[in-house]
Amino acid sequence: MSLHLIIGDKLYSSWSLRAALALELTGERYTEQLIRLNQPDSRQQMLEHSSTGKVPVLKGEHGVVADSLAIIEYLNDHFPDACLWPADIAVRAFARSACAQMHSGFFGLRGNLPFDLSRDQALVPMPDEAQADIERMVALWAECRAMATENGPFLFGRLTLADAFFAPVAVRLRTYRVALPADALAYIEAIYQWPAFQAWQRAALEEIGK
């Protein structure tokens, strides 16, 4: 069975972006199905694919995998030759920890700066809880780069699943014009130069007006 990814609007679904970028990292072919969010039948359509009633969902030969964190770990298990996590065990553990922190936290950032690839406007004033999360995010990215044992402009040098997971944060920080230190800005630029991200961004902007 081939890989089939069910996603939400590319303009707004940060969780779907993570799963799609992770799939691109494998180099494997897959099909894609988009369910428009915030429509009267959106939840019913999603329930047809997963009991979670949410996206993303990945379908493949081993069944249904729901939730972006589970999807990236499944891809790592299923495609070991793709080397999706950092090679060093300590660095790999730190990368997983960073993604888990993002998955279960940073509610001030996520709640106050909704994901919208078409946005280009600062949030003034920035809520205190969002600013605290932004500062923690910048520090976490710096910790990732300090742990890196491979060369490159991404969190752990070369592209890994961590970059797929943090790409939506890069979008939030750029589209809300957040003032950041040079190293964080350089990382965001690296994400925006990633061809897989650029393809997603183009498709997202094409959704406007549909």
Side-chain angles (χ1 to χ4, degrees), residues 1-5 29-31 58-63 74:
M1 180 179 180
S2 60
L3 294 168
H4 183 59
L5 181 67
R29 298 182 65 179
Y30 66 96
T31 55
L58 181 65
K59 294 182 175 181
E61 62 181 289
H62 300 104
Y74 169 74

Side-chain angles (χ1 to χ4, degrees), residues 176-195:
Y176 285 83
R177 298 187 181 182
V178 177
L180 297 167
D183 55 351
L185 290 172
Y187 174 61
I188 292 171
E189 181 61 23
I191 291 293
Y192 269 76
Q193 294 302 314
W194 182 2

Side-chain angles (χ1 to χ4, degrees), residues 76-176:
N76 178 68
D77 289 343
H78 195 39
F79 302 106
D81 292 343
C83 301
L84 300 178
W85 285 118
D88 181 89
I89 189 169
V91 181
R92 186 162 65 249
F94 192 89
R96 282 190 163 110
S97 173
C99 291
Q101 291 177 56
M102 181 68 240
H103 190 261
S104 61
F106 292 95
F107 298 113
L109 171 60
R110 287 154 50 182
N112 288 285
L113 284 68
F115 184 88
D116 180 352
L117 266 163
S118 68
R119 183 185 174 94
D120 185 19
Q121 184 177 353
L123 179 61
V124 181
M126 180 67 70
D128 290 344
E129 65 270 25
Q131 184 60 42
D133 274 356
I134 290 167
E135 291 172 7
R136 172 60 190 135
M137 182 62 65
V138 169
L140 180 59
W141 284 356
E143 292 176 60
C144 291
R145 288 190 297 274
M147 288 285 293
T149 57
E150 300 177 72
N151 295 324
F154 296 97
L155 287 179
F156 295 95
R158 65 173 175 85
L159 272 167
T160 69
L161 290 169
D163 301 299
F165 221 77
F166 282 95
V169 181
V171 170
R172 285 180 163 98
L173 297 180
R174 175 166 285 194
T175 57
Y176 285 83

Side-chain angles (χ1 to χ4, degrees), residues 38-59:
N38 303 314
Q39 303 298 312
D41 63 343
S42 296
R43 180 167 172 78
Q44 183 56 45
Q45 288 190 62
M46 290 186 281
L47 283 169
E48 293 174 6
H49 300 284
S50 167
S51 60
T52 64
K54 298 178 180 179
V55 289
V57 173
L58 181 65
K59 294 182 175 181

